[in-house]
Amino acid sequence: MSLHSVEKIGGTSMSDYVAVRDHIVFAQAAPDTQYQRVFVVSAYGGITNKLLEDKKDGSPGVYALFAEGFKDDNWAEALEGVRGIMYDKNASLFKDELELRAANEFIGERLDNARKCLEDLQSLCRHGHFSVEDHLMTVREMLASVGEAHSAWNTARLLRRDGINAVFVDLTGWQSAEHISLDERILRAFAGIDLNQQMPIVTGYAHSEDGLINSFDRGYSEMTFSRLAVLTQAREAIIHKEFHLSTADPGLVGEDKAVPIGRTNYDVADQLANLGMEAIHPKAAKGLRQNGIPLRVKNTFEPEHGGTLITGDYVSDTACVEIIAGCRGVYALELFDQDMGGKVGDYDAEILKTIQRFKAHNVAKDINANTVTNYLSTNLKTVKRIKNVLQERFPEAEIRQQKVAIVSAIGSDMQVPGILAKTVNALSEHDISVLAIHQSMRQVDMQFVVNEEDYEQAIRSLHKGLVEPHDHGRAICLAS
């Protein structure tokens, strides 16, 4: 068994260097050594949104501006805006003039190179023989890498200043002419590192021949984190976030009512990821699960708390709901066609292909004899594009969209008679209309589609009715 842990630090936590240093690096060190820990870091909070697009509302960043209007220079103005934000961040971290100059020179060179690449591509694609669409994924990967390189370089430099032998591990493949697999890039980077005496600070983005963003989009840093843990045979994988993995959002149900889950399994983590809660990307969790590596989710600002431990074999002692979660800003895209009868599978396949083409996340789906409804977590612009394509493909169909929210009750074992009735009753007591219900035979989650304005009350109602904690801070089980 290896002695080391592989730990990922999220963007919001990364934005507070003092908290990272004091609460994560120093406070959580082993009694006998500061080392035997590997940190995979995200870009500072908000930076990747500026480089790509806003993850929540779809507002264009540098990439989106270049992709949608590469013939103009709006993207260049946005890139310079990112430069200003990065330089301001550096100024807040490095008070020594020489250190600040080194930090600005490092990230400035990357930004200069990125701009030159985009200008050259812009010029090339103004000729009819070249299409910008052929290069957009490469552009997206290049821009994403800049954010992680910035935060990782800075953190390694700052920790060295503060007495830790930290090393910057750059997996971005910047200016590398060689295309290699993700595993090979990680193994090469760690070949000369001594975890007994060095603390690697690793870029969350890693360049690979298959393209990490092409496969995992904004979940790329979780995949880097997972593969690094697997390849180095880590003792434990840890995610540091700005909040606990709790029974519900404390901001909605109250700080005194939401408690950390404490223990759960990868099945529950998959359900949370599907709702956008980012416990860990399902494909990243697969490697940890298959290799028997436990995952711990911790709150950066409560270093003394053990957080929530996620393993493959955990099942609650008593059947109960462990967490109430959900997502808003979901669009129900309903396609009704009287001629669908007997051909539902053909319609469903075509709809799914179109959704995948526009990279919309499908949270849930309903199917009956003549209607297919997909619940998409994406922006309105993407929904309209999908709708237009489907209307052309199925001209006789009636297609409508509606903005909704999804709330979900989740647990490692919810096989309790009457649980569905109890859940619906908890919603009806507050006059919340249920637009659709999804429950699988495996009894690990129930999803309720509600009007978006009912989202917060629905979360509170289900938490109060199903999961309110008692004196020991554990969920009240339905069977009790």
Side-chain angles (χ1 to χ4, degrees):
M1 173 66 70
S2 298
L3 299 175
H4 74 280
S5 59
V6 173
E7 310 181 31
K8 179 180 178 294
I9 308 177
T12 302
S13 297
M14 282 298 297
S15 297
D16 188 342
Y17 169 71
V18 173
V20 168
R21 180 194 64 193
D22 295 348
H23 294 168
I24 297 177
V25 177
F26 288 165
Q28 299 185 43
D32 57 341
T33 180
Q34 288 276 12
Y35 300 100
Q36 290 293 340
R37 304 172 77 188
V38 178
F39 290 100
V40 178
V41 301
S42 296
Y44 295 120
I47 290 293
T48 306
N49 286 343
K50 296 291 185 183
L51 288 167
L52 303 181
E53 68 284 314
D54 192 285
K55 195 173 183 179
K56 292 184 178 179
D57 64 21
S59 301
V62 178
Y63 167 79
L65 290 169
F66 184 84
E68 295 174 6
F70 76 96
K71 292 182 179 179
D72 59 45
D73 292 325
N74 289 338
W75 65 267
E77 183 179 345
L79 186 62
E80 292 310 307
V82 174
R83 185 192 300 270
I85 293 171
M86 288 181 161
Y87 283 1
D88 287 346
K89 183 64 180 178
N90 289 352
S92 73
L93 294 170
F94 297 98
K95 302 307 179 185
D96 180 84
E97 185 176 339
L98 292 178
E99 289 286 294
L100 176 59
R101 184 184 306 164
N104 286 345
E105 286 178 353
F106 170 80
I107 197 59
E109 181 182 9
R110 301 238 170 170
L111 291 168
D112 290 343
N113 288 342
R115 176 164 184 155
K116 182 66 166 59
C117 287
L118 294 181
E119 287 173 342
D120 289 346
L121 182 58
Q122 185 180 47
S123 176
L124 182 69
C125 292
R126 283 179 174 144
H127 296 274
H129 293 85
F130 300 93
S131 171
V132 69
E133 284 77 14
D134 295 337
H135 306 281
L136 284 179
M137 190 51 64
T138 301
V139 169
R140 189 171 178 83
E141 300 245 352
M142 175 186 70
L143 289 171
S145 75
V146 174
E148 265 80 3
H150 178 224
S151 61
W153 189 95
N154 282 0
T155 302
R157 191 84 167 205
L158 290 165
L159 286 174
R160 285 200 297 273
R161 180 199 68 186
D162 294 336
I164 298 292
N165 187 23
V167 291
F168 170 52
V169 180
D170 187 359
L171 299 180
T172 66
W174 195 259
Q175 294 185 330
S176 172
E178 191 176 16
H179 295 280
I180 57 179
S181 68
L182 172 61
D183 287 5
E184 182 64 23
R185 188 168 299 281
I186 290 172
L187 291 172
R188 288 188 186 184
F190 275 78
I193 291 177
D194 182 358
L195 296 180
N196 289 310
Q197 303 180 58
Q198 295 175 301
M199 181 178 289
I201 309 298
V202 187
T203 57
Y205 170 82
H207 184 264
S208 70
E209 58 188 353
D210 296 325
L212 214 54
I213 295 182
N214 187 45
S215 301
F216 305 101
D217 199 38
R218 296 287 285 269
Y220 58 83
S221 64
E222 295 170 9
M223 197 62 203
T224 303
F225 160 73
S226 172
R227 291 308 300 164
L228 184 49
V230 170
L231 292 171
T232 61
Q233 298 180 316
R235 168 183 53 83
E236 187 173 71
I238 303 172
I239 296 178
H240 299 276
K241 302 185 77 70
E242 70 276 15
F243 49 76
H244 280 296
L245 191 58
S246 300
T247 54
D249 182 349
L252 294 181
V253 303
E255 295 279 352
D256 59 326
K257 295 182 175 64
V259 297
I261 298 174
R263 285 294 307 271
T264 193
N265 61 30
Y266 282 111
D267 196 348
V268 169
D270 289 346
Q271 310 309 321
L272 294 174
N274 182 55
L275 294 170
M277 289 190 66
E278 301 178 343
I280 188 171
H281 193 287
K283 291 184 180 178
K286 178 181 177 181
L288 299 178
R289 183 180 68 248
Q290 290 181 338
N291 287 272
I293 300 174
L295 171 66
R296 191 179 299 274
V297 181
K298 299 199 66 176
N299 184 332
T300 298
F301 304 99
E302 292 187 32
E304 71 286 348
H305 196 289
T308 294
L309 184 65
I310 302 172
T311 57
D313 57 357
Y314 173 80
V315 178
S316 176
D317 292 337
T318 308
C320 65
V321 174
E322 296 172 10
I323 184 169
I324 304 298
C327 53
R328 44 184 148 193
V330 175
Y331 289 90
L333 187 63
E334 179 186 86
L335 188 149
F336 163 75
D337 193 336
Q338 203 76 59
D339 296 329
M340 189 185 298
K343 299 183 293 182
V344 174
D346 295 338
Y347 277 74
D348 184 40
E350 192 68 29
I351 294 169
L352 181 60
K353 184 171 68 174
T354 305
I355 291 171
Q356 291 174 336
R357 171 184 165 189
F358 289 97
K359 298 185 182 300
H361 174 56
N362 202 345
V363 181
K365 178 165 60 178
D366 296 329
I367 296 179
N368 66 17
N370 53 25
T371 307
V372 178
T373 306
N374 288 273
Y375 299 89
L376 307 178
S377 178
T378 188
N379 56 70
L380 180 58
K381 186 175 183 179
T382 300
V383 172
K384 288 182 175 179
R385 286 176 171 174
I386 294 170
K387 183 179 177 180
N388 290 338
V389 171
L390 292 176
Q391 196 69 76
E392 290 181 8
R393 176 65 181 83
F394 304 107
E396 301 301 319
E398 296 178 18
I399 305 177
R400 72 182 188 97
Q401 67 196 47
Q402 180 180 346
K403 199 170 187 180
V404 298
I406 294 178
V407 293
S408 183
I410 304 170
S412 54
D413 178 9
M414 301 199 312
Q415 298 187 45
V416 179
I419 184 174
L420 180 59
K422 185 170 184 177
T423 306
V424 172
N425 184 60
L427 294 173
S428 65
E429 285 179 354
H430 293 87
D431 297 322
I432 296 173
S433 297
V434 177
L435 307 179
I437 298 175
H438 308 122
Q439 183 182 27
S440 68
M441 292 176 63
R442 294 185 54 249
Q443 301 286 303
V444 294
D445 79 319
M446 295 181 295
Q447 293 182 340
F448 300 86
V449 181
V450 300
N451 291 311
E452 190 178 39
E453 59 268 24
D454 290 331
Y455 174 78
E456 294 187 3
Q457 184 57 56
I459 292 288
R460 286 191 288 267
S461 299
L462 292 186
H463 194 266
K464 182 178 180 180
L466 305 178
V467 199
E468 287 289 293
H470 58 60
D471 293 342
H472 300 292
R474 297 181 61 192
I476 294 178
C477 292
L478 295 169
S480 62

